[in-house]
Structure formats: structure tokens, C-alpha cells
Amino acid sequence: MSKTFFGIQVVVKNFVSDPLRKQLHEIIARSEAEQSLTEKRVFWKRVAAVLNEAVPAFELGFWDLIAGSGAEEEFESWSSEIEGSLATEKEELGTAPDEISRISAEKRYIIVTLIFLVEGGSNSDNTLAERCDIPESEYWTRLTFGRLIATIPLLNFATVEADAVYLAPGSEEDGFSMEDLHGGGYEYLKMLL
Amino acid sequence: MSRSLPPKPFSRKAYIDGEELVGARWWQESLRQAADPISRRRALQALAVLGGSAAVLGLLVAVSSSDDQVDISMDSLELQKRQGWNVGQPGAALRFPLSSGVDADGSKSWNGSLPALASELAPAQPSLVPFYVPTLFQSLEAPSGASLRASLVPVAPAAGDRDHLRGQAILSLFKAVQMPADTAVILDLEGPSSVAVAAGLADGFDPVFTFDNWPHPLGVVPSHLTLGAAVYQRPVFLRARAGRPAKAPPAFVLDRTRLAPYTDEDAQFDNRYVAKLPTAENLRSLGIRHLLYVTPSKSQLRELDDLNGDFVDFAKASIDVKVLPLTDLDPAPAAQASTARATSPTYYYGGHPHTHLWFWNNYGWYAPRTTSRLPSPALAPSRPPDVSSGAAYRPALRPTIFSSRTLGGGSGVGKQKPSGFGRVSVRTSKSTGSITAVRGGRSGSFGRAGGWSSG
């Protein structure tokens, strides 16, 4: 059975006082290990609602829709690279965080990643195809990212085979600097207009 | 097909709550178990053994919505190699400009040499062969190449042969500094123009063609025109190869329409591709320290997106890249006025013989010896009034769809095709593995809408 991958990653400017990170963290932390279709929809509605509030603070991003060959591999690739980077960075960083750099005012960006694997030809697939059919000139705009995130609660989760959400860094006091994001493997991220 | 779902079908497979990352990942196991055992994998395996008949394409469009069909995305070139250069469009013609049917020598016997084009136009120097991309020329050798050879005509330059003359003007600049071996040229022009400029340079530069696709009747990249131009210029290249110094510097020949906009998702075949150039390390091992990047005009003073990473790497390796738009090379005003009756006007940097060698004042890599021996200051090179600022170009990293992609902050994986780039969707039968339709439309993040072409 063919599958379709949909992934969206967005860098959000977040100040310590902003509720975005805390809200997302709570939604993820309170999510059930086993979810019904209704619970799944509620979960994604909450995530989408929180992100919707932050659309004006979206700075960089990347999204992709891959149908058929490569879809499942792409899901595995995104999830394993993000989860894998955690292990790598932990080994590299050790256990004692650098308090000075972690509270730096420059490190104010967080990365939110949402990925999905849906059945090919399903109504979820059709919804994604329709909503992602965007002129190339509008691929990298905040409006597009807001619209794509708003698509997620519209999916029929009966036909969603896998999904994942990631928020990095996890620490409330940490963040990425623009320098971090312009190097170190994040060069693929696009500046959002 | 209906199936009953468990009350809580999603099962969490990963949960992370740490300093570096917070996240969760779920799988719906019932869907995984329900997956059709005759899957995309089998369809792909069947494709691998499928014969090259294009006749199977499109036969089953009417049942394309049945459960027997599976849609897969394939690399366009791979599909063409399996199914023929004109896959999905076996009856469609390639469109050429009016051709007199002769090559640059006025000969009509060019068609006998077509199957050998890939070997004839390979670089003369073995050290440059690894960087030669013969894909386009090899389309003539393929099993399906007979129909392509029958369709092909030589593509002569536009009236005036301006590109060839501009190539000769660039060559004359380098001859004025004794053809330094540490400077290579990159021609990034529309395919036929690149070929014509390369022909103008060929007496002093070893051309290294990098055309990495096949033509298609609905191709986004009109590479059949590039192929026709190469056929036209073939005698020029062969003559130059025989008379050129053995250690001539390379001229990398690119087709900038490789990234042409994909505008009509229902009526185009995505034969776009990403340029392949030697790495900085490769260039240094070849002894290259300077690169002259030739673009069509003053409005194009930086590299195309797929070269950005390469050029930044070149700069990091102390390989200096500068830009020269072809429009900086013009005939002298008198020659412009008499172009109609002149045999071939000579082109100069800045459009005048007196400004020609000022090129080296601007680009700075070398100083022509002739300037110190000029008899009169009046004949010394003078500053051209209207040339581009290409000499001031410096590569700068910018985000492009070809930027290194690695998620999560690890090391980059290098330039790669973005999802959906240079790919085409095909519909196959799960039971037989045969291709039943080819869609000219998009896939991946380049859009998915569009109908299926039945060929």
C-alpha cells in the first residue's frame, strides 16, 4: 500500500516569558501513550492552536510532502535524525550545561517539528495533497506554514499510520541562536517571508 | 475496504522529555498490519525486470482507481532509461528551430556519428574524464536511441553566431596571459549557448560537458536543443581537440535551464537535474586556483542555487571565483554598425579593442605582458565605461532548496535533489508490476495536483 509523508519544521522566536514552549511541552507531556482517534484529533488540535498563535514569530522553516516511494523512509529519516541527534548531543555536551550560554538572550529560538505518515489514496492523503498544492513562490511564507499546520486537525486519523511531534531544545531556559541555525546542519531551513 | 479499529489504535513508540528535546512518536499498528502484502516494494521489483516497451504505458488508465494500482515516484532519468527517452509520449515530436540539416562544416553526414557522440566529446585529458557527465549524449546510444536519433537535427547558432564569437573573445583574453593552467572556466548559459561558447573556447580550453539528463517531448529542460547544438558543433570540437595543447585548462559546460521553472504540472516531464562540478579538493588536485563563472547577462551576477554550496566551498579552499556576464563582451561600435556586411565582428571586453585587456585590471589574476610594451599611452588599455561588477563577486552562503539537508543538527549530507525534483509519478499494477500510466505532474513538495497522462 502506498504511503505519503508530510513533515513540517518551524523555527519560532520565543522569549522566556512567551507561553508557547511551556504550552507545547505540557501538551506533549500530558499526551496518552495509547490514543483513540478522538484523543489523537484533540491532541493535534491543541498543538495546532498553540502554534497558530505563534505564526507571526515563525522565522525559518521547512516542509515536505512525499507520496509513494520514499514516504516511509522519509518518516523514519526525520524521526531517527531528530531523536538520534539528542543522543549525539548528550554525549557531546556531557551532563553539565553551560549556564551562561543557556540563558543567553541570543538563544531565543526553538524548533518545532511535526511529521506524519498517511495511507496513500486515503482522504487524509487527498487533504494533504490539496492543501500542499501551493505555488512555488509561496512555499516559504509564514502564511503557508500557518495554513499547513491548520491542516493537521482536518486529517482523518483513521488513515494516519504514524505521527510525531518534537520540540527542541527541551529546557525552558535554553534555545538556539541564529548562529546555531545558520550552521551545524540546519542550512536547509528557509527564511520565511 | 473497511476494517474495525481497536479503541485506542495509536501506540506511543517514543517519548522524550529532556534538556535537549521534548517529543513523542506514535504508530497505528493496525494500519501497519493491514498493509497490502503486494506493496510498492513488489511493484518496484517488477519494474526492474520490465522490458522497455513504452506500449504498456497508459493502457489501464481507466482502472487507475482500482485496488490493483499503486502510485510510485521515480527518478525521471531512471524511468527514461527503463522505458525509453520519450516515456509516456511515444508519438510526440521534439520541437526544433528551423534547421538546414547540416553541421558547422556544412556536412549532412553528421547522423552516422551520433552513437559515438559521448566518446567523441569526452575531455581529451584523462585527469578531466571523472568530471565529464555524458548522460545527455548517451541518450543517443540507448536501446531507445534509434527514435531519438531519427528525431534529432543539428541546432545552428542564431544569426551572427554571437555566442561562438564571445567564446573566442574570452579565449583571446586568456591567450594574452599565456593561457594559465590554474584558471578554469565554468559556462552556465542556456544549453545551446553554452555549447557555442565552449566551441569558441575549444582551441585553448578542454571542454568538460556536464549535461545530466535525457530529452523528453514534454521536458521542462529543452535538452534536445543542447544535444542538437552539440551535434552542430561536433566538427569544431574535434578539430580543436586535435590542435589544442595537451595540458589545456578545463571549461566546464553547464546548461542553466537545468533548474527551469516547473510551471505546467499537467503537461511537463520533470527532467531537471542538479549540476555536478568537481569538489574544491578535486580542483586543487587539478591545479585550479581561479574560476571564471560565465553567465548570460549583467542581471545574473551570482551562481545558480544548486552551485551555491560548491562555490562557498571553493572560496573556503582559496579558489577564487569571479563572474563574467557574456554581455560584457561586445563588438566595437563600428563593427556593430556594419555587422550585416562584416564577415564576423570581433568581440571585446567592454566593446572596444582599447578596453579589452582592461579585463585583467578588473579581474586581477594576471597582467598581460603586452601592456608594458605598448608603444603609446594612447593604445594602453582603458577603463571600459559599461561593464558589470562581476569581478567583485564573492560567493556567500544562502538558503536554497539545494542546501545541505540534515535534520537535527548533525553534519550535512551535501547537496542533493529536493524532494520531487527531477522525479515523475508512475502508476503500476500491483499484480503484474507493469507501468500503467505516467504522470507528467509533480510530486513531493513541488506539488501533487494534476492528471495522469496516458501516453
Side-chain angles (χ1 to χ4, degrees), chain A residues 52-71:
Chain A
N52 184 50
E53 292 292 314
V55 167
F58 288 4
E59 294 285 330
L60 304 168
F62 189 84
W63 66 272
D64 214 344
L65 180 72
I66 295 175
S69 173

Side-chain angles (χ1 to χ4, degrees), chain B residues 86-276:
Chain B
N86 52 358
V87 57
Q89 300 290 326
L94 292 170
R95 293 180 185 175
F96 288 96
L98 192 61
S99 171
S100 58
V102 296
D103 63 20
D105 281 358
S107 169
K108 290 192 173 181
S109 59
W110 48 269
N111 48 3
S113 64
L114 292 181
L117 195 66
S119 57
E120 287 182 334
L121 296 188
Q125 298 167 74
S127 62
L128 297 177
V129 170
F131 313 112
Y132 171 47
V133 183
T135 311
L136 178 62
F137 304 146
Q138 287 171 337
S139 63
L140 297 164
E141 304 169 4
S144 68
S147 62
L148 178 58
R149 292 195 295 274
S151 307
L152 198 63
V153 295
V155 174
D161 207 1
R162 197 161 45 182
D163 293 327
H164 186 92
L165 296 171
R166 282 174 162 153
Q168 290 181 326
I170 297 171
L171 178 62
S172 77
L173 289 168
F174 280 86
K175 281 185 171 174
V177 291
Q178 289 72 51
M179 295 299 301
D182 66 353
T183 303
V185 171
I186 299 173
L187 303 173
D188 203 359
L189 312 162
E190 289 192 8
S193 290
S194 264
V195 171
V197 175
L201 285 171
D203 283 339
F205 287 85
D206 198 349
V208 183
F209 296 98
T210 65
F211 306 133
D212 196 17
N213 71 346
W214 279 15
H216 188 276
L218 301 181
V220 175
V221 183
S223 49
H224 58 290
L225 300 179
T226 307
L227 194 54
V231 170
Y232 179 87
Q233 301 284 2
R234 172 182 160 273
V236 178
F237 288 123
L238 295 183
R239 250 193 319 277
R241 181 191 180 104
R244 194 166 49 227
K247 290 287 184 185
F252 298 98
V253 189
L254 283 60
D255 177 1
R256 69 188 293 114
T257 64
R258 66 186 178 277
L259 306 184
Y262 192 9
T263 54
D264 189 341
E265 56 200 43
D266 292 334
Q268 287 185 302
F269 183 89
D270 189 359
N271 61 344
R272 294 178 296 174
Y273 60 97
V274 175
K276 291 176 182 168

Side-chain angles (χ1 to χ4, degrees), chain A:
Chain A
M1 183 175 291
S2 72
K3 294 168 189 173
T4 294
F5 166 81
F6 174 61
I8 186 163
Q9 188 171 52
V10 64
V11 174
V12 190
K13 186 184 278 186
N14 182 70
F15 295 93
V16 176
S17 58
D18 287 348
L20 169 71
R21 185 213 299 265
K22 190 177 179 189
Q23 289 174 343
L24 279 177
H25 193 162
E26 282 180 5
I27 293 169
I28 296 169
R30 290 180 184 179
S31 62
E32 297 288 336
E34 310 291 324
Q35 289 179 324
S36 68
L37 296 182
T38 306
E39 288 165 340
K40 179 60 78 182
R41 181 182 305 281
V42 169
F43 172 80
W44 281 113
K45 278 183 81 169
R46 287 177 179 156
V47 172
V50 169
L51 286 173
N52 184 50
E53 292 292 314
V55 167
F58 288 4
E59 294 285 330
L60 304 168
F62 189 84
W63 66 272
D64 214 344
L65 180 72
I66 295 175
S69 173
E72 188 163 357
E73 290 82 352
E74 195 73 6
F75 185 92
E76 297 282 6
S77 168
W78 281 55
S79 58
S80 62
E81 284 179 21
I82 293 172
E83 293 172 20
S85 71
L86 167 70
T88 307
E89 286 170 13
K90 268 186 172 170
E91 285 169 14
E92 287 169 354
L93 293 172
T95 53
D98 177 350
E99 292 301 329
I100 295 173
S101 67
R102 287 190 184 287
I103 59 173
S104 162
E106 296 305 314
K107 289 184 173 286
R108 61 174 59 146
Y109 298 93
I110 60 173
I111 302 179
V112 181
T113 309
L114 321 173
I115 56 175
F116 302 85
L117 187 65
V118 308
E119 281 187 319
S122 65
N123 44 13
S124 290
D125 187 23
N126 293 337
T127 301
L128 288 170
E130 188 183 312
R131 302 277 290 204
C132 292
D133 188 20
I134 295 163
E136 216 162 311
S137 59
E138 295 171 21
Y139 278 0
W140 313 114
T141 68
R142 293 185 178 90
L143 199 62
T144 292
F145 275 66
R147 178 179 156 86
L148 292 178
I149 289 169
T151 301
I152 296 165
L154 305 178
L155 300 180
N156 174 359
F157 287 96
T159 59
V160 173
E161 184 169 327
D163 60 325
V165 56
Y166 302 100
L167 167 65
S171 163
E172 299 275 325
E173 295 167 347
D174 203 355
F176 292 97
S177 68
M178 260 303 157
E179 281 182 351
D180 293 332
L181 297 169
H182 284 150
Y186 289 104
E187 295 89 349
Y188 61 89
L189 290 169
K190 313 292 188 229
M191 186 76 72
L192 302 185
L193 304 174

